[in-house]
Amino acid sequence: MTHLPPPAEELRLLDTELRQLDARRALLLARRAWLITALRPPVAPPPPPRPVRRPETTAPRVQNVLLVLGGALLTIAAIAFTLVSWGRMGIAGRALVLGAVTLAALGSPVLLLRHRLRSTAEAVAGLGLALTVLDVYALHEVALPDTNGLGYAAIASALLAALWTAYGLALGGTRRSTGETAAPARLTLRLPLPTALAAAQLPLILWAAAADAGAPVMTGALLVTAALDTAVALRVPVRSVCLVAVVGAYGLGGWGSFAAGWLSWTATGPSAVARAAALLLFAAAIALAAAWRLPDTNVATWVASAGGLLTVAALGGVPRSSLPGEWTVPGYLVCAVAVLAAVRTRLPEPMRRGLALAAVSVQAVAVVWALPPVAVALLGPVARVGRIWTGAPSTAREAVTTDGVPWPPYAATAPLVLVVVATVLAVAVRGTEWRPRATIGASALVWAAALVLPAALDIPYWAGMSAQGLTIVAALAYVARSAEPRPVLFLPALVSSVSLACLSLAAEGTTLGVLAALTVLFAAVSGRSRLAPVAALTYATALACAVGASLGWQSPYIALLVLLVPVVAALLAARLAGSPARVPIEVTGAVAGLLAVGLAVPDQPLLALVLALCAVIAAGTAVREDRRPAGYAATALFVLAAWVRLACWGVGSVEAYTLPVTVPALLVGAFGRRKDPLASSWTAYGAGLSVTLVPSLLTAWIDPDWPRPLLLGVAALAVTLVGARHRLRAPLVLGGGVLALDALHELAPYLVQMAGALPRWVPPALAGLVLLALGATYEQRIRDARRVREVLGRMR
């Protein structure tokens, strides 16, 4: 019977056969395609396409150029005819020629528009408008030669503006459809209306110039013209007219606003101030009215901001002429605050934003104006660091204006300006997002006002010191009562304290009292800020120096007082485990210790004592588990103290300086290896042995006597034997190396003497014998070296 495989096996066999057939079919198809390609005759490449010459410009552009050029040439010809050939004709001929040409030029666009030739009509209309200007000029030259030129130009520009407006409206508009099918729109001229508006910019300005009016009238003419342009820009939808109106509104309005502001600033009498204020208010009304109607919110905001600034300039300039110069900035500031009150009204949102921006800008300028006296009050006392205890000044202003630093003029009202702006910040900003920042800003401004107030009022020196001290107390109380104290709240108190400390340097008793008070104050709030303990320790250090100087002590003895600060810092850091203020406290204590060391440098015995005391403080700090690295600093300070003491005693032996380092280092290494048996001998004993053996070896090589090399050899031999006994690599290598070099130093004279007695051929012969011996026993030497390496490797 035929054997049939299972269905699964049969399906696998069928899939395999089908894959092979597909592969064979693909191979045959590829071969067939290659054969077809090989049997086809070669096809010649098509010839490249011939380049097509394209026009360099479009037909409408050519048309516009030709029309503009033709209109310009006709205008030039008309001007030349009017100026050159005018006098050769009679009155009737002149009128007939100009009238005929003008009417033809103005009437031709009607026919051209009916034939839908707008561009040609625009060019001819431009020629007609230019001819009307020439008609006006000709009329003045013939009929009215004695009239005022500026006055005639003002009337003529007004008439031309009206004429061109009527002409543009007569040829404008659209035809309404009367049936179901709309008639095509009638073409209109675009040139007459913007040209008429451009001519309308001149009548009032020329009239003011013809009447020889003053600056207020000319400014009023500019602003009235700008108001007309604003109205046209807001109400006329024609784009070309609107563009001319916008340019005129911004240009003439800006010019008039600047002129009105200059009049307000230079006004001296009440009438002049009132006129300037009226002009500024008129300009502000134009800007605010435009902001009310503008559809673009961003543009409306900026225009409303300009209106707010103009309002502030108008209202603030009124009291300026009758008040002293110190009240100029406060006057403008009060007006800005009044403008800010309009933000709470129901004005459109862009106007409210613009008015708020204007008010904030004025307040920012006022704060900048108040900064110079604040800087003088803050930085002026620093100059007293170089003139300690030279005598107290009489007034607070004299105390801050040292070394020729002048007090800024008109700065008496600077505290008032700062307080007003701070009040506005505290009251006006009520949003949840900006409220914390506004509070910080208001606090900073109040602090600046309190800082500059004594000098601004020029009160006595002691009263100014007391006022600044009360400011520091208030700032620290605010920090102590705040729920979440932040460094930014602590900075005003810290900066004020530095200024107060510098001011107190004028008198000895004042210095001691102020430094003591500052130390107590900052220590009282040390739990509220990480900077407070640092400030307290810093002022304690300054107090220690001041007390020592007051007692007449020299600087090395003052260093002993300064050392109290590192002691207190170490004790505080031990109690503030886990506090973020611990590291700043320790750093401050370390800086105070360095200051003590610097003060003790002139007296070496006291320097040794100060170094030893600093070492004790560092060792006490190293007792704590998390401050073990301070032990290295303690060791280094102890060693330095010992070295300074030995130098005071005149000890010149190098071992006296190195053994105090070696013994503690070896003890620490032995203690470390007892705790960690796997520690390397180089880590435990390498540094301690090297500190003594290496300097002693260098000294022995230049020492002509025999005791030092002998003692060094004995010590190196002992170290080597100890290393061999306990299988320690560091003592064995260091001791053996020093012992070999010391022996070489002792045998060197005999080797030199022997080398001089031998013939010159002996050294090369000996070198050859050595090389032969080494070559003969190379393998044995390598085996011995490996054995020594294995022995050293088993050592710890």
Side-chain angles (χ1 to χ4, degrees):
M1 295 180 64
T2 303
H3 174 70
L4 296 176
E9 181 65 20
E10 186 178 1
L11 180 62
R12 186 184 65 79
L13 293 174
L14 291 175
D15 290 339
T16 303
E17 292 293 337
L18 290 173
R19 283 195 298 270
Q20 292 177 356
L21 289 174
D22 291 339
R24 181 63 179 171
R25 176 180 173 80
L27 179 62
L28 293 175
L29 289 175
R31 181 63 179 174
R32 180 178 180 276
W34 182 85
L35 291 173
I36 292 174
T37 304
L39 292 175
R40 286 179 180 175
V43 180
R50 299 181 63 183
V52 179
R53 183 173 299 174
R54 297 179 180 180
E56 298 180 356
T57 184
T58 61
R61 292 183 180 178
V62 174
Q63 167 191 301
N64 294 334
V65 171
L66 293 176
L67 292 175
V68 171
L69 183 59
L73 292 176
L74 289 175
T75 304
I76 293 173
I79 295 173
F81 171 76
T82 304
L83 296 178
V84 177
S85 302
W86 185 258
R88 302 177 183 177
M89 302 178 64
I91 297 177
R94 301 172 188 173
L96 181 62
V97 171
L98 274 180
V101 174
T102 303
L103 291 176
L106 294 177
S108 298
V110 178
L111 299 176
L112 294 173
L113 290 176
R114 290 180 181 178
H115 291 82
R116 311 192 68 81
L117 300 175
R118 170 183 279 179
S119 299
T120 307
E122 294 284 357
V124 176
L127 175 61
L129 298 179
L131 288 174
T132 56
V133 177
L134 293 177
D135 291 339
V136 171
Y137 170 75
L139 181 62
H140 178 267
E141 292 296 324
V142 174
L144 304 170
D146 298 330
T147 57
N148 187 357
L150 291 176
Y152 179 80
I155 297 174
S157 59
L159 293 177
L160 287 176
L163 176 63
W164 292 346
T165 302
Y167 179 68
L169 293 176
L171 297 182
T174 58
R175 182 179 299 172
R176 297 183 180 180
S177 60
T178 56
E180 295 181 358
T181 304
R186 187 176 64 183
L187 297 179
T188 60
L189 291 179
R190 301 174 181 175
L191 185 61
L193 291 180
T195 307
L197 184 59
Q201 311 298 311
L202 301 176
L204 292 178
I205 300 174
L206 293 176
W207 170 79
D212 199 11
V217 177
M218 178 62 74
T219 304
L222 292 172
L223 293 177
V224 170
T225 307
L228 295 176
D229 290 332
T230 304
V232 172
L234 294 174
R235 300 185 65 87
V236 177
V238 182
R239 185 174 182 180
S240 58
V241 177
C242 185
L243 179 61
V244 175
V246 168
V247 173
Y250 280 110
L252 298 180
W255 185 9
S257 299
F258 177 79
W262 182 256
L263 290 175
S264 176
W265 185 257
T266 57
T268 56
S271 59
V273 171
R275 287 193 298 268
L279 292 173
L280 286 172
L281 288 176
F282 181 47
I286 297 172
L288 294 175
W292 186 292
R293 295 291 303 275
L294 281 172
D296 192 340
T297 57
N298 293 329
V299 177
T301 299
W302 289 107
V303 173
S305 175
L309 291 175
L310 290 172
T311 303
V312 172
L315 300 178
V318 174
R320 187 186 60 82
S321 62
S322 58
L323 294 176
E326 291 84 358
W327 294 95
T328 299
V329 174
Y332 285 105
L333 180 61
V334 171
C335 297
V337 174
V339 169
L340 187 62
V343 178
R344 301 294 179 182
T345 60
R346 295 183 179 180
L347 293 173
E349 180 64 22
M351 291 190 65
R352 286 188 290 165
R353 286 202 306 265
L355 293 176
L357 181 61
V360 170
S361 301
V362 175
Q363 294 179 60
V365 172
V367 171
V368 172
W369 172 82
L371 287 181
V374 175
V376 172
L378 187 63
L379 301 178
V382 179
R384 294 204 168 269
V385 175
R387 298 186 301 172
I388 299 177
W389 299 348
T390 56
S394 58
T395 63
R397 185 177 298 180
E398 183 183 351
V400 299
T401 55
T402 56
D403 293 339
V405 178
W407 180 253
Y410 307 117
T413 55
L416 177 62
V417 169
L418 296 172
V419 170
V420 170
V421 178
T423 305
V424 172
L425 279 176
V427 174
V429 182
R430 300 181 182 273
T432 57
E433 181 181 358
W434 291 93
R435 183 65 180 177
R437 302 176 185 177
T439 303
I440 294 175
S443 303
L445 291 175
V446 171
W447 164 75
L451 183 68
V452 77
L453 183 62
L457 298 179
D458 203 14
I459 61 178
Y461 170 73
W462 303 106
M465 293 280 293
S466 303
Q468 195 161 349
L470 292 176
T471 302
I472 297 172
V473 172
L476 293 178
Y478 180 73
V479 172
R481 296 187 61 183
S482 58
E484 296 181 359
R486 290 177 291 178
V488 69
L489 300 178
F490 183 77
L491 288 178
L494 183 61
V495 175
S496 296
S497 65
V498 174
S499 178
L500 181 62
C502 294
L503 281 176
S504 67
L505 297 177
E508 179 179 346
T510 307
T511 303
L512 298 176
V514 168
L515 292 177
L518 291 177
T519 303
V520 173
L521 285 175
F522 284 100
V525 296
S526 58
R528 304 295 296 172
S529 174
R530 69 178 64 182
L531 297 177
V534 175
L537 293 175
T538 302
Y539 287 124
T541 304
L543 178 62
C545 296
V547 169
S550 178
L551 295 176
W553 292 1
Q554 297 180 354
S555 61
Y557 295 95
I558 296 176
L560 299 176
L561 282 178
V562 175
L563 281 179
L564 295 175
V565 176
V567 173
V568 175
L571 296 176
L572 284 176
R575 297 192 60 181
L576 297 176
S579 173
R582 182 175 61 170
V583 174
I585 289 174
E586 291 175 341
V587 172
T588 307
V591 173
L594 290 177
L595 176 62
V597 172
L599 292 174
V601 167
D603 192 338
Q604 290 189 356
L606 275 179
L607 177 61
L609 177 61
V610 169
L611 290 172
L613 293 176
C614 291
V616 172
I617 297 172
T621 303
V623 173
R624 304 204 311 267
E625 186 67 26
D626 56 343
R627 289 295 183 266
R628 296 298 188 196
Y632 297 107
T635 303
L637 290 171
F638 273 124
V639 171
L640 289 176
W643 287 356
V644 172
R645 177 54 62 182
L646 291 173
C648 294
W649 290 338
V651 176
S653 177
V654 68
E655 289 77 13
Y657 295 91
T658 58
L659 286 177
V661 180
T662 297
V663 175
L666 294 178
L667 293 177
V668 172
F671 180 74
R673 278 183 58 82
R674 181 173 295 181
K675 293 184 63 177
D676 185 11
L678 298 180
S680 173
S681 62
W682 285 106
T683 304
Y685 307 117
L689 292 174
S690 300
V691 168
T692 295
L693 291 178
V694 174
S696 297
L697 178 63
L698 296 176
T699 307
W701 272 73
I702 60 176
D703 192 354
D705 297 330
W706 61 269
R708 185 187 297 275
L710 178 61
L711 294 176
L712 177 61
V714 173
L717 178 62
V719 171
T720 304
L721 294 177
V722 171
R725 172 68 179 80
H726 296 281
R727 296 184 178 182
L728 299 176
R729 185 181 301 176
L732 183 61
V733 173
L734 289 175
V738 172
L739 180 61
L741 293 175
D742 186 64
L744 179 62
H745 171 264
E746 292 301 313
L747 296 176
Y750 302 102
L751 293 176
V752 172
Q753 184 179 1
M754 184 178 63
L758 292 176
R760 293 187 178 182
W761 56 266
V762 173
L766 291 177
L769 291 175
V770 171
L771 291 177
L772 290 176
L774 290 176
T777 60
Y778 185 74
E779 184 177 1
Q780 181 66 32
R781 298 302 181 187
I782 292 177
R783 187 162 46 249
D784 294 341
R786 290 176 179 173
R787 186 178 297 117
V788 172
R789 185 175 62 186
E790 292 175 358
V791 172
L792 292 175
R794 288 194 295 270
M795 296 181 181
R796 292 173 293 172

